[in-house]
Amino acid sequence: MSVTALESKRLEAVLKGDEEVEVVGTGTDAVAYALMLADIDVTSAYPIRPYGGVMQTVARLIADGYMKAEYIVAAHEHDQFEIVKHASAVGARTFVGSSGVGWLLAIEAIVAISTDRYPVVALIGNRALDDPGAYGVEHNDALMVRDVGWLLVWVDTAQEALDTTLIAYRVAEDPRVMLPVGISMDGAFLTHSEHVFKIPPKSKVQKFLPPYDLGNRKLHPSNVISVAPQVNEDWVTEIRKQMDEAMKNARKVIEEVYRDFAKIFGRDYGNPFVEPYMVEDADVVMVGMGTVSKPIKEAVRRLRAKGEKVGFLRIRWFRPFPTDDIIRYLSDVKVVAVVDRDYSFGSPFDGGAVFTEIRSALYEAEHRPLMMNFIGGLGGREITYNDAINMFNMALDAARKGKVEQRVIWYGVRE
Amino acid sequence: MVSKRSPPDELLKFIPARDSPYTLVVVYGERSIGDFWTFPDDGTVERVLGAIAKVMPNILTLDDVKKYLESLDKPSERVNRALEAYQSLVKLREVKPGEGLPYKYEPPHLPGWKDMMIGGAIPGLKPNQRNPYFTGGTAKHYRPVINFDKCIKCSLCWEYCPDSVFDVTPDGYFNPALAYCKGCGICAEVCPVPDTIIMVDEMEFEDGYGKFIDEYRAWKENREAYRKWFESLLPKAQVISVRKR
Amino acid sequence: MTISIKLARTVKDLLQMAQTEYFDAGHRTCQGCESAMVLRWVAKAAGPNTIVIGATGCMYVANTTYYTTAWALPWIHTQLSGTGSAVVGTAAALKALMEKGKLPNEKINVIGICGDLGCADAGLSEVSNALTHTKYNFLILMYDNESSANTDIQETTMTPYGALTTFSPSGKQVRIMKYRWKKNMAAMMAVGHPEVRYVATAIASDPIDLYNKVKKALEIGGPTFIHTLDPCPKGWGGYDPQVQP
Ligand code: SF4
Ligand code: SF4
């Protein structure tokens, strides 16, 4: 169970040296290493798959002395999130996480974390909601908090998971933002798959990530404040407006932080909000979040080789929503096909949440593309390369005809 | 509409003046804090319904009230209370603009979102600093009046007040900050010397609205006058405890 | 266990040792609220080096009204069932930050305050989990007014058998709606948690005892628990705050 000799040599190198070190590990391992580098003070664990792996790695790193943090095993997820909320209030950098129904059990505390403006960073190992119990990925767990002041980001490689964790602390703790960040990671496809990734040296992380400072909101006998007293209608609008402003500020801050990240670590993500893949001059662009990018990118490459003008846009930051980038990349194409690993029953076109948001963002665009929605990959069902080709073919067909025959397609549903 | 034992003219001494005319309706009744909390079945509601029927028959007629009350349990008892109010317990008084307590209500200036701390945080108090923005003292029906001449400085009143009302004076007395006193009477009950803290109906005083007198200072300034004043209030004091009298 | 701190023996001791108010006047508690008295004495016993966490409940709603506060101690709200979690999170953060040199090393008391609903019902698993965390120093205080007093007096598991509440009225067909017996929290906390360092029951009508018990709990450190029984003038029908239990 303990850290292996090889791993130990590598960890010593990043903690003491100035060079990054290449390792093999899962998506959750990558997040755990980021937490070690970010020197978190308090974390709280509760077992649920698929997020739980991160806490096992963190426990190992603490037990072997590579990181120092209070590691609290909670009674349940609500307990877990309240623990970090209050640790954050005292000035501790905190980490927490969950999956599926666990995340939902904590929702009361989750909302209080954002309304109290504590920059907690959470990992959501995306998982289908009960009932019936299922392990596989679905994005509805994280999407449950899309309206309450959590910044939400989806990653699709272990490297991106590690880097985004560091970026998340810097963005969340920025005085202009002071909101929590939820990092979403597709259950199994990323949480449990092995990747090669690089761990940056701690010396660089210290340059990138200043200490957590709550300023005059730190709860301490030397700073007597009352936090979140019972409030009436005279004040609630103003308190929500402050959050609205912080969320809007976050767009600017995210751009700054990615630029700084590239400067310090030499890894440039380009556009921080979305990852455009061969979208230039494309007639059909597929849109998705998370690991679905893998088969779709492969399909794009093969179709491009055959002369089809297709592309892919992966959304990283869902909150704040990248409206400008959506308009920039999608408004001029013929057909936009959104792959939703989620559902939003009874939504305006009975489509998925991402589809509905993109549709709303494009309403203001000068040109509006035709739109299709594929609901697929639910409960962890794989979206394969062949599925991606099929979806592209349907979208290309609509582009040729200039008309979408079926707007929302439950892809692969058995009749 | 007020449920009270005092006549309208007496009440007007306490009701802030308004810019427009209105009708003051007093329904004779006991004080009751319960009605807005846990709804004790003490007849207040029936009397108020009877009063509405009397004052505003266009809204509710006596027949409507009867019909409703007869649908409940103990119908005759309830109807009787409504009838009582309808027939004799209601006093009307037309109030002219400007009549009443000269009292200007300045709406507080609330800060905007840019000036508020984020996250619902606010600055706390300093030790021994009472909440400057909220006092709560208008909740009281009875006020503690203290006979400092008899006080033995035992400090029990200070210990037991749930609202931290008593200031410790340099010479060891305990002076109530009446603006913060809710009138629960605990201090009067725990005081070991009979008739040293008495609870007197708030209607006996014309100060209020944060301008409560400072009892200790008044006593210091003129003990003889204070003693006389205290003795004049003594017969009006609420009987706190049979044990002591 | 021998305690090296000075405890109060008389009311005069209290006056000398605990004159400073840290939970001061200007809160919205009802007339004669005994829970307010509990908080007042807990704050006095704890002193200035303390962080207070208040769970949703009447002592949240009544004591803190946004933009004003009655606390001269750093105070934060936690959700109804969050007390156990909040004290652990706070104490753990203090420990981590002090060990890493991010905060000066000093003793800071952490006190979580919850009502009977927040502690014995909704938050029981969190409180129970907290009491196993021997690494951290905190006190959980359950103020038990035997009902959900803030929300109109509904029954909780701490409401005594047979009590009338708005969720357990007595009717024509069902005479006794509250048919469950009250939980024994102090015993459950003491027996069920082998590492809990101190468990006590108290009542504010004996402030010396309450003061000393809070002092002891904070001095002993580790996970500690105090159950106070708080008569509620609003909820306990017929209870007159002037007559102390
Ligand atoms: S009446 Fe109650 S609130 Fe007023 S001073 Fe006495 S004990 Fe305090
Ligand atoms: S309780 Fe009575 S005797 Fe004791 S100090 Fe107060 S006023 Fe004086």
Side-chain angles (χ1 to χ4, degrees):
Chain A
M1 275 297 276
S2 74
V3 175
T4 63
L6 183 63
E7 191 185 3
S8 132
K9 219 171 86 199
R10 286 170 175 159
L11 293 180
E12 295 290 348
V14 289
L15 289 175
K16 305 224 169 85
D18 285 322
E19 296 303 319
E20 59 183 16
V21 173
E22 198 168 76
V23 295
V24 178
T26 63
T28 54
D29 286 343
V31 172
Y33 294 136
L35 301 175
M36 172 187 80
L37 298 172
D39 188 25
I40 59 161
D41 303 308
V42 175
T43 185
S44 179
Y46 191 76
I48 186 168
R49 272 183 281 196
Y51 119 94
V54 66
M55 295 318 299
Q56 293 169 24
T57 311
V58 168
R60 214 152 44 82
L61 292 172
I62 292 176
D64 283 339
Y66 294 99
M67 63 188 284
K68 197 161 167 31
E70 289 302 313
Y71 186 98
I72 303 160
V73 181
H76 45 68
E77 287 87 355
H78 188 284
D79 190 23
Q80 216 190 338
F81 280 73
E82 279 286 327
I83 286 172
V84 294
K85 176 186 129 197
H86 287 272
S88 190
V90 179
R93 182 170 284 159
T94 56
F95 172 79
V96 70
S98 195
S99 286
V101 286
W103 175 254
L104 261 67
L105 194 147
I107 209 106
E108 183 194 31
I110 287 173
V111 177
I113 287 172
S114 62
T115 51
D116 283 352
R117 308 291 297 276
Y118 294 126
V120 170
V121 171
L123 176 69
I124 309 148
N126 296 130
R127 170 174 173 168
L129 301 174
D130 289 8
D131 242 3
Y135 289 133
V137 53
E138 244 173 49
H139 292 164
N140 279 82
D141 50 1
L143 288 171
M144 287 282 170
V145 304
R146 66 178 190 177
D147 300 328
V148 294
W150 275 71
L151 278 66
L152 295 176
V153 58
W154 262 262
V155 297
D156 89 330
T157 63
Q159 187 69 61
E160 196 184 5
L162 191 154
D163 296 349
T164 305
T165 306
L166 298 174
I167 287 168
Y169 281 108
R170 171 86 184 264
V171 172
E173 293 170 8
D174 190 292
R176 293 164 289 177
V177 180
M178 278 291 170
L179 287 171
V181 178
I183 303 171
S184 273
M185 191 186 266
D186 285 352
F189 294 115
L190 180 50
T191 53
H192 286 68
S193 67
E194 300 263 325
H195 291 227
V196 177
F197 59 92
K198 289 176 178 140
I199 311 177
K202 190 165 179 181
S203 55
K204 283 191 182 170
V205 174
Q206 279 166 337
K207 253 186 257 163
F208 173 72
L209 189 60
Y212 170 38
D213 183 9
L214 262 173
N216 65 352
R217 290 198 302 132
K218 182 155 96 178
L219 200 66
H220 188 269
S222 64
N223 182 46
V224 178
I225 52 172
S226 286
V227 180
Q230 177 83 13
V231 70
N232 64 20
E233 69 280 7
D234 284 341
W235 304 94
V236 178
T237 310
E238 284 69 26
I239 291 170
R240 303 284 182 260
K241 174 63 191 161
Q242 291 176 326
M243 293 176 71
D244 170 61
E245 205 62 19
M247 189 56 100
K248 287 196 285 206
N249 288 345
R251 290 203 177 90
K252 197 163 56 229
V253 174
I254 288 170
E255 269 177 38
E256 274 174 37
V257 171
Y258 273 82
R259 235 179 297 149
D260 230 35
F261 186 90
K263 228 186 292 160
I264 291 173
F265 297 99
R267 223 179 346 269
D268 193 344
Y269 281 89
N271 185 321
F273 296 100
V274 294
E275 183 198 0
Y277 187 77
M278 298 193 184
V279 291
E280 303 76 25
D281 78 354
D283 288 336
V284 168
V285 174
M286 198 95 92
V287 186
M289 303 200 296
T291 54
V292 75
S293 66
K294 298 282 174 303
I296 299 179
K297 281 178 177 174
E298 180 64 16
V300 168
R301 276 196 296 274
R302 305 248 188 127
L303 289 171
R304 280 271 177 183
K306 284 201 226 153
E308 298 285 10
K309 289 207 238 167
V310 294
F312 173 63
L313 190 72
R314 180 168 68 87
I315 296 184
R316 263 195 211 103
W317 290 86
F318 185 81
R319 283 289 181 271
F321 195 76
T323 315
D324 291 345
D325 296 304
I326 292 294
I327 292 176
R328 165 138 54 103
Y329 290 111
L330 299 181
S331 74
D332 285 333
V333 306
K334 287 186 182 147
V335 174
V336 170
V338 182
V339 184
D340 265 290
R341 210 158 210 161
D342 63 81
Y343 43 82
S344 179
F345 300 128
S347 60
F349 295 93
D350 301 307
V354 184
F355 170 75
T356 307
E357 297 275 301
I358 292 178
R359 216 180 147 83
S360 156
L362 289 173
Y363 188 82
E364 292 299 317
E366 216 166 296
H367 304 282
R368 275 175 282 183
L370 294 173
M371 288 195 66
M372 296 176 75
N373 187 196
F374 295 104
I375 306 241
L378 297 188
R381 188 178 289 184
E382 202 176 341
I383 293 178
T384 62
Y385 160 74
N386 283 332
D387 296 332
I389 293 281
N390 275 341
M391 292 181 196
F392 266 124
N393 283 337
M394 287 187 240
L396 283 165
D397 192 42
R400 273 188 294 272
K401 289 184 186 144
K403 182 162 137 236
V404 170
E405 261 147 28
Q406 197 183 345
R407 192 183 277 131
V408 180
I409 295 160
W410 278 67
Y411 185 82
V413 68
R414 283 191 301 279
E415 296 293 337
Chain B
M1 189 172 287
V2 185
S3 172
K4 205 65 179 123
R5 278 183 298 176
S6 323
D9 279 331
E10 203 170 302
L11 283 172
L12 267 180
K13 286 191 236 159
F14 302 90
I15 300 174
R18 296 186 183 202
D19 298 338
S20 47
Y22 65 96
T23 310
L24 174 64
V25 183
V26 182
V27 189
Y28 189 85
E30 292 296 322
R31 71 169 169 144
S32 152
I33 63 157
D35 46 3
F36 57 84
W37 283 125
T38 38
F39 205 83
D41 202 1
D42 65 355
T44 307
V45 169
E46 290 80 356
R47 280 194 284 269
V48 169
L49 286 175
I52 294 175
K54 171 83 167 245
V55 185
M56 288 169 282
N58 53 333
I59 291 180
L60 208 57
T61 65
L62 191 59
D63 281 344
D64 295 335
V65 173
K66 278 189 192 158
K67 215 188 312 167
Y68 166 64
L69 294 177
E70 273 159 5
S71 73
L72 305 178
D73 62 328
K74 296 179 272 175
S76 58
E77 208 175 301
R78 290 182 198 279
V79 170
N80 276 343
R81 284 181 191 143
L83 277 175
E84 254 171 35
Y86 186 85
Q87 286 159 359
S88 60
L89 296 184
V90 177
K91 296 195 184 68
L92 296 184
R93 165 77 151 80
E94 297 300 331
V95 185
K96 290 200 268 305
E99 252 192 296
L101 184 75
Y103 171 73
K104 261 219 149 29
Y105 175 69
E106 299 261 357
H109 173 75
L110 305 183
W113 64 269
K114 287 180 186 154
D115 298 325
M116 292 156 57
M117 283 171 86
I118 61 167
I122 54 166
L125 298 178
K126 293 189 178 50
N128 282 338
Q129 180 198 6
R130 295 193 176 94
N131 183 350
Y133 303 113
F134 181 84
T135 58
T138 48
K140 61 178 156 302
H141 300 278
Y142 293 89
R143 161 189 308 195
V145 182
I146 297 171
N147 185 353
F148 295 98
D149 292 326
K150 284 172 78 179
C151 169
I152 57 166
K153 304 183 186 178
C154 71
S155 81
L156 285 177
C157 52
W158 171 82
E159 251 117 44
Y160 279 92
C161 174
D163 286 88
S164 321
V165 164
F166 290 95
D167 285 320
V168 188
T169 69
D171 48 356
Y173 291 100
F174 298 91
N175 184 27
L178 289 172
Y180 291 89
C181 163
K182 297 199 183 107
C184 64
I186 290 177
C187 53
E189 168 65 24
V190 297
C191 177
V193 189
D195 294 342
T196 297
I197 301 183
I198 56 173
M199 298 303 291
V200 182
D201 193 330
E202 197 57 16
M203 299 293 288
E204 297 294 332
F205 309 96
E206 288 182 20
D207 55 4
Y209 287 111
K211 295 181 305 222
F212 296 95
I213 60 158
D214 183 328
E215 294 180 1
Y216 174 74
R217 212 178 37 200
W219 176 69
K220 272 282 182 196
E221 274 165 14
N222 190 339
R223 292 192 182 205
E224 195 44 38
Y226 188 86
R227 193 180 54 77
K228 281 209 180 105
W229 178 67
F230 185 88
E231 272 163 15
S232 74
L233 292 171
L234 197 50
K236 297 173 186 159
Q238 191 198 18
V239 178
I240 289 287
S241 153
V242 184
R243 171 161 58 84
K244 281 191 199 147
R245 301 228 177 192
Chain C
M1 188 171 313
T2 46
I3 309 294
S4 56
I5 44 159
K6 189 168 180 296
L7 299 176
R9 304 258 167 249
T10 64
V11 284
K12 285 283 173 202
D13 287 351
L14 286 185
L15 186 61
Q16 258 158 34
M17 296 163 70
Q19 218 180 91
T20 316
E21 306 281 349
Y22 297 99
F23 169 73
D24 213 327
H27 38 78
R28 291 190 302 174
T29 52
C30 305
Q31 294 174 323
C33 172
E34 181 132 333
S35 299
M37 217 186 301
V38 169
L39 296 203
R40 185 174 167 230
W41 281 100
V42 168
K44 279 172 182 287
N49 253 24
T50 302
I51 293 176
V52 182
I53 294 140
T56 308
C58 50
M59 286 302 101
Y60 168 54
V61 176
N63 284 317
T64 57
T65 306
Y66 180 76
Y67 226 68
T68 90
T69 181
W71 288 99
L73 299 173
W75 174 95
I76 184 170
H77 174 225
T78 187
Q79 300 310 118
L80 179 64
S81 62
T83 313
S85 333
V87 290
V88 167
T90 307
L94 290 174
K95 178 170 182 282
L97 294 173
M98 285 177 194
E99 282 175 4
K100 289 183 178 186
K102 296 183 189 177
L103 271 185
N105 206 338
E106 61 187 320
K107 183 170 188 287
I108 296 179
N109 304 315
V110 175
I111 303 181
I113 292 165
C114 42
D116 44 317
L117 184 81
C119 186
D121 291 2
L124 187 59
S125 75
E126 288 92 332
V127 167
S128 173
N129 194 49
L131 293 185
T132 63
H133 281 289
T134 46
K135 278 203 282 181
Y136 310 127
N137 302 322
F138 55 83
L139 164 65
I140 294 176
L141 181 114
M142 177 176 74
Y143 63 94
D144 172 19
N145 49 31
E146 303 194 319
S147 64
S148 306
N150 173 51
T151 44
D152 279 350
I153 321 294
Q154 291 90 354
E155 76 165 70
T156 71
T157 56
M158 298 302 280
T159 307
Y161 179 89
L164 297 176
T165 70
T166 53
F167 277 2
S168 62
S170 181
K172 290 199 186 93
Q173 298 293 323
V174 183
R175 288 232 9 248
I176 295 177
M177 286 279 282
K178 168 69 188 181
Y179 62 90
R180 306 181 288 162
W181 291 90
K182 180 171 173 139
K183 280 185 192 171
N184 187 343
M185 276 295 281
M188 197 193 329
M189 295 301 110
V191 174
H193 304 85
E195 296 274 27
V196 67
R197 301 290 303 280
Y198 182 80
V199 173
T201 59
I203 187 156
S205 59
D206 188 348
I208 301 175
D209 183 58
L210 173 62
Y211 175 85
N212 287 341
K213 281 172 173 166
V214 173
K215 279 237 157 212
K216 275 190 215 164
L218 295 175
E219 179 62 24
I220 291 168
T224 56
F225 182 84
I226 295 180
H227 172 182
T228 65
L229 180 67
D230 301 9
C232 169
K234 168 180 154 189
W236 292 20
Y239 160 71
D240 185 339
Q242 288 169 6
V243 184
Q244 287 291 297

